[in-house]
């Protein structure tokens, strides 16, 4: 079944570089180990045995922003936390993407008050929003799939 | 793009003591800014269990002084609750201690019921106990998984979350939501449990004891785990009382106190269970306490399942509990009650109440004041994580940084509850 059976008569494959690079980026994404509130528990659930996010090449959570290329903002962002989130985003090397997980990170959710930033997109650019309070692990995985689809269509120029 | 390389002048060593104080916050007394290293741990750190920031003063690898910096998750829960009716304010309590929303609901709802002066039906009472104890188990599972993960035992995390998913399925079955359940309502429950509830819980009671044995087999004789937990973060019983610790953090130090037994609520006095107490007061003792507590919770659930009475789950007072949906087509009075309840809610009398229950983390108290309106005039929560965190410096002083991680895991804090 594997590609090695074809090796004898298929020594060279021509393909667009952009597609290969994007394929590589989608399948070895390193999310940052970064949880804020309730959604972080569901994010851990998505990585645990039942939902197993490593099927999508992202079992490796990096605790350091400098080694990660995906930031999942899991939870509410308070006014005190917002500068920290921005700083973490700035510390991530290019290319980098952001998923706003849950209602609070997307739009403030139920907390329309003095303490909570009404959506993390006020601080950092967001690629995919995942709705739910908190989103089920399936919803998060769907968000990741959506992000993969987006990355597949990206041009290499974007990260120059 | 060329990044500016870090300069020597960027480090805190070049700053004066006053400037360091300003930079780190004045909460901590810096003993020796010249010789010691000052480390800011968090708010993004894998083992601070959320967005806790710790200011650590280090002499080599030894923690000389440590001060928690909290507030990174401040949500304004208490203030927001003042703007909502009594029923609607309930959704805020789920999002405080998000590992055990059922017990948070319970503390708030019992305070509301105390203020209104109503008693709930026996069936609702027993279902509440079952769900609160399931909540305790699921919360302890997250604690065990992350605590073991911090101490480099990754597989325990995967096992714990597998069993937790089963409990979340039960939550979803009864409340329609995996985490933010809002299932307990003033006067009873949102609705009765479905028929599948009882077999599902009984199945859990059957298979879970073997799983606890599995976790213990992974950790109890694991030399790495023992070396990282035994005699680490010791706090004596007197100190634990003086710092106001509660829950397993208190019982791990040999203090025999559990609100379920000593200040019974929700009919806990009718159940037979032991309160696990460990004498040593180290990280390992707190671990043992919680593991034994899970078994006791199963005992309580089993008794509750056996005596689950038939009957209604809500009281008959439709000024507080919305009338059944079917009534709305038949009775004008029901329509009026429904309309009044969902537009303005019920009015609570003047006065204040304080209700204490035992959450998985310890003693959670809800102070509630009514002022003859449909909204709480003031809600305040006594969060056990907040008080337990205050004793962290005491436990972590003169230990290594690695032990600090073990101690944070052992007091089982939830930042949502600390910052609120």
């Amino acid at each position: 079944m594997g590609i090695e059976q074809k090796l004898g008569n298929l020594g060279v494959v021509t393909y667009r570089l952009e597609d290969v690079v994007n394929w590589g980026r989608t399948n070895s994404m390193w999310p940052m180990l970064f949880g804020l509130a309730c959604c972080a528990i569901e994010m851990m659930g998505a990585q645990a045995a039942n939902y197993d996010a490593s099927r999508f090449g992202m079992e490796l959570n990096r605790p350091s922003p400098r080694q990660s290329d995906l930031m999942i903002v899991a939870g509410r962002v308070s006014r005190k936390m917002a500068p920290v989130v921005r700083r973490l985003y700035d510390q991530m090397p290019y290319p980098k993407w952001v998923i706003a997980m849950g209602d609070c990170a997307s739009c403030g959710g139920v907390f329309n008050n003095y303490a909570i930033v009404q959506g993390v997109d006020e601080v950092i650019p967001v690629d995919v929003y995942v709705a739910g309070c908190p989103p089920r692990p399936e919803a998060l995985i769907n968000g990741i799939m959506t992000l993969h689809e987006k990355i597949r269509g990206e041009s290499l120029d974007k990260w120059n | 793009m060329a990044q500016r390389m870090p300069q020597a002048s960027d480090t805190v060593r070049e700053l004066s003591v006053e400037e360091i104080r300003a930079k780190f916050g004045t909460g901590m007394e810096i003993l020796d800014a010249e010789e010691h290293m000052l480390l800011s741990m968090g708010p993004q750190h894998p083992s601070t269990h959320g967005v806790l920031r710790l200011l650590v003063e280090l002499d080599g690898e030894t923690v000389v002084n440590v001060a928690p910096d909290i507030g990174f998750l401040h949500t304004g829960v208490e203030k927001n609750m003042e703007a909502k009716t009594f029923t609607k304010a309930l959704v805020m309590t789920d999002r405080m201690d998000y590992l055990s929303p059922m017990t948070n609901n319970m503390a708030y709802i019992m305070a509301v019921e105390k203020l209104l002066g109503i008693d709930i039906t026996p069936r609702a009472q027993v279902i509440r106990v079952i769900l609160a104890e399931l909540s305790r188990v699921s919360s302890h599972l997250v604690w065990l998984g992350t605590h073991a993960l911090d101490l480099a035992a990754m597989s325990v995390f995967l096992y714990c979350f597998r069993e937790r998913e089963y409990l979340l399925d039960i939550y979803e079955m009864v409340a329609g939501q995996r985490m933010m359940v809002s299932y307990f309502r003033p006067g009873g429950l949102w609705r009765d449990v479905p028929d599948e509830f009882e077999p599902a819980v009984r199945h859990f009671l059957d298979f879970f004891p073997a799983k606890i044995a599995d976790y213990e087999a992974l950790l109890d004789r694991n030399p790495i785990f023992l070396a990282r937990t035994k005699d680490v973060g010791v706090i004596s019983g007197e100190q634990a009382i003086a710092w106001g610790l509660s829950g397993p953090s208190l019982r791990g130090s040999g203090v025999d106190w559990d609100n379920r037994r000593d200040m019974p609520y929700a009919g806990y006095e009718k159940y037979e269970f032991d309160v696990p107490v460990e004498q040593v007061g180290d990280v390992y003792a707190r671990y043992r306490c919680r593991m034994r507590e899970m078994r006791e919770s199963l005992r309580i659930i089993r008794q509750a399942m056996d005596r689950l009475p038939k009957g209604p789950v809500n009281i008959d007072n439709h000024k507080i509990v919305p009338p059944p949906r079917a009534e709305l087509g038949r009775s004008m009075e029901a329509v009026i009650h429904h309309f009044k309840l969902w537009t303005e809610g019920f009015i609570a009398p003047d006065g204040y109440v304080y209700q204490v229950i035992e959450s998985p983390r310890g003693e959670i108290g809800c102070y509630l004041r009514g002022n003859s309106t449909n909204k709480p005039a003031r809600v305040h929560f006594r969060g056990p994580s907040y008080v337990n965190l205050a004793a962290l410096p005491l436990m972590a002083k003169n230990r290594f940084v690695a032990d600090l991680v073990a101690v944070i895991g052992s007091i089982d804090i939830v930042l949502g509850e600390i910052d609120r």
Side-chain angles (χ1 to χ4, degrees):
Chain A
M1 242 347 249
I3 200 164
E4 67 280 358
Q5 293 172 357
K6 308 266 185 195
L7 276 178
N9 48 15
L10 242 177
V12 179
V13 180
T14 51
Y15 209 59
R16 286 173 63 218
L17 175 66
E18 220 162 53
D19 287 350
V20 177
V21 169
N22 285 342
W23 174 78
R25 282 177 179 168
T26 54
N27 284 287
S28 65
M29 199 163 259
W30 286 8
M32 183 157 58
L33 184 53
F34 172 55
L36 287 171
C38 340
C39 288
I41 308 295
E42 287 294 63
M43 186 170 78
M44 281 152 65
Q47 284 150 358
N50 285 38
Y51 295 96
D52 195 12
S54 62
R55 290 176 292 163
F56 312 105
M58 44 191 297
E59 74 274 30
L60 207 63
N61 269 30
R62 303 312 298 182
S64 164
R66 298 188 195 283
Q67 297 168 351
S68 46
D69 49 11
L70 171 64
M71 183 183 206
I72 302 178
V73 184
R76 44 194 189 250
V77 182
S78 69
R79 301 236 174 250
K80 186 171 178 181
M81 192 64 195
V84 182
V85 173
R86 176 72 218 189
R87 187 169 182 181
L88 287 169
Y89 178 79
D90 288 342
Q91 284 174 339
M92 286 163 66
Y94 290 117
K96 54 188 171 186
W97 299 276
V98 176
I99 292 180
M101 181 186 182
D103 289 347
C104 296
S106 301
C107 64
V110 290
F111 303 109
N112 185 5
N113 60 22
Y114 63 92
I116 294 297
V117 175
Q118 299 297 302
V120 73
D121 51 7
E122 291 188 11
V123 191
I124 56 176
V126 175
D127 291 279
V128 175
Y129 298 87
V130 181
C133 188
R136 303 173 61 92
E138 291 102 320
L140 176 62
I141 289 172
N142 181 52
I144 292 164
M145 301 272 80
T146 314
L147 180 67
H148 285 183
E149 220 160 273
K150 184 179 172 179
I151 294 171
R152 272 187 223 111
E154 272 180 0
S155 96
L156 286 184
D157 293 344
K158 188 184 168 188
W159 299 109
N160 267 348
Chain B
M1 203 164 54
Q3 286 271 320
R4 195 176 71 93
M5 290 297 288
Q7 306 290 312
S9 58
D10 291 352
T11 61
V12 286
R13 284 183 183 282
E14 298 284 314
L15 303 171
S16 69
V17 175
E18 280 68 38
E19 283 167 317
I20 294 169
R21 268 184 220 286
K23 209 174 164 112
F24 274 67
T26 47
M28 186 172 86
E29 193 186 341
I30 299 166
L31 299 176
D32 188 350
E34 291 293 315
E35 286 300 312
H36 292 164
M37 180 182 168
L38 297 169
L39 181 74
S40 171
M41 191 172 161
Q44 190 263 332
H45 188 278
S47 52
T48 52
H49 291 235
V51 285
L52 171 67
R53 177 168 174 245
L54 293 172
L55 314 173
V56 192
E57 183 177 348
L58 294 170
D59 181 8
E61 214 183 323
T62 311
V63 175
V64 180
N65 206 354
V66 53
D69 177 13
I70 60 173
F72 286 99
L73 200 58
H74 177 62
T75 318
V77 164
E78 288 170 3
K79 191 69 189 166
N80 235 11
M81 286 172 87
E82 291 169 21
K84 293 172 183 288
T85 63
F86 283 98
T87 313
K88 287 176 183 171
L90 174 63
V91 298
M92 294 287 152
T93 60
D94 288 314
R95 287 155 183 82
M96 280 186 345
D97 179 356
Y98 39 80
L99 292 186
S100 64
M102 291 282 189
T103 39
N104 277 15
N105 284 177
M106 199 159 168
Y108 171 69
I109 286 299
M110 284 179 69
V112 173
E113 281 160 358
K114 212 176 191 179
L115 186 64
L116 293 170
I118 53 176
D119 287 323
I120 61 167
T121 64
R123 183 176 171 83
Q125 196 77 277
V126 175
I127 292 175
R128 280 185 186 183
V129 168
I130 294 171
L131 287 168
E133 292 305 316
L134 285 178
S135 190
R136 189 178 315 276
V137 174
S138 79
S139 169
H140 282 356
L141 282 176
V142 177
W143 157 78
L144 179 63
T146 51
H147 185 39
L149 195 64
D150 290 345
L151 303 178
M154 173 121 194
S155 46
V156 184
F157 166 77
L158 297 172
Y159 288 122
C160 288
F161 266 68
R162 183 183 63 190
E163 270 72 72
R164 182 180 146 86
E165 287 294 331
Y166 188 88
L167 291 174
L168 292 188
D169 287 347
I170 293 181
Y171 283 5
E172 197 176 1
M173 182 192 294
V174 298
Q177 239 275 31
R178 282 159 58 90
M179 281 171 73
M180 304 304 156
V181 284
S182 294
Y183 183 60
F184 304 158
R185 299 288 167 91
L189 306 169
W190 173 51
R191 56 175 63 168
D192 203 349
V193 290
D195 294 339
E196 312 91 72
F197 175 73
E198 198 170 335
V201 176
R202 288 215 183 266
H203 179 58
F204 180 75
L205 294 176
D206 287 340
F207 80 77
F208 193 62
K211 304 289 182 193
I212 303 180
D214 277 356
Y215 310 145
E216 288 179 339
L218 282 167
L219 293 174
D220 269 4
R221 277 171 294 158
N222 181 335
I224 301 172
F225 185 76
L226 293 181
R228 302 256 341 239
T229 55
K230 282 216 162 167
D231 298 324
V232 172
V234 182
I235 184 164
S236 70
E238 291 83 47
Q239 281 173 324
I241 293 173
W243 282 85
L245 295 193
S246 54
S249 309
L250 176 69
R251 292 191 285 273
S253 300
V255 183
D256 192 5
W257 178 265
D258 188 322
N259 287 323
R260 290 175 294 172
R261 185 195 59 199
D262 300 319
M263 292 166 69
Y265 56 91
Y268 268 108
E269 66 277 7
K270 290 177 230 150
Y271 300 97
E272 195 184 307
F273 62 100
D274 296 326
V275 176
V277 178
E278 298 279 336
Q279 300 302 328
V280 188
D282 57 359
V283 174
Y284 187 74
R286 295 191 274 277
Y287 154 79
R288 284 305 310 156
C289 252
R290 291 198 178 88
M291 297 306 275
R292 287 168 60 193
E293 227 172 61
M294 284 204 266
R295 289 212 174 81
E296 295 303 322
S297 288
L298 293 188
R299 254 175 90 186
I300 297 174
I301 298 167
R302 195 167 284 124
Q303 292 168 42
M305 291 303 287
D306 290 340
R307 69 172 68 156
L308 185 60
K310 297 262 180 280
V313 291
N314 280 323
I315 55 167
D316 216 15
N317 184 354
H318 292 313
K319 299 256 184 273
I320 292 162
V321 178
R325 193 78 205 168
E327 287 281 304
L328 294 186
R330 286 198 297 269
S331 149
M332 191 60 212
E333 200 188 356
V335 176
I336 295 169
H337 278 141
H338 181 89
F339 181 76
K340 289 288 272 183
L341 260 176
W342 293 119
T343 51
E344 61 172 59
F346 50 81
I347 286 172
D350 264 338
Y352 57 87
V353 290
Y354 184 65
Q355 174 66 45
V356 166
I357 72 166
E358 183 82 12
S359 97
R361 265 154 283 284
E363 179 177 316
I364 181 166
C366 176
Y367 169 85
L368 181 70
R369 193 152 66 79
N371 58 351
S372 304
T373 61
N374 56 350
K375 291 168 185 161
R378 178 82 172 96
V379 191
H380 177 71
F381 283 93
R382 186 253 188 228
S385 305
Y386 178 72
V387 184
N388 291 357
L389 178 66
L392 173 74
L394 190 69
M395 297 184 207
K397 250 179 217 174
N398 302 323
R399 307 288 316 188
F400 292 137
V401 186
D403 294 340
L404 181 60
V405 170
V407 173
I408 296 170
S410 78
I411 52 176
D412 189 19
I413 48 172
V414 171
L415 267 292
E417 188 186 68
I418 293 173
D419 295 341
R420 293 193 288 273

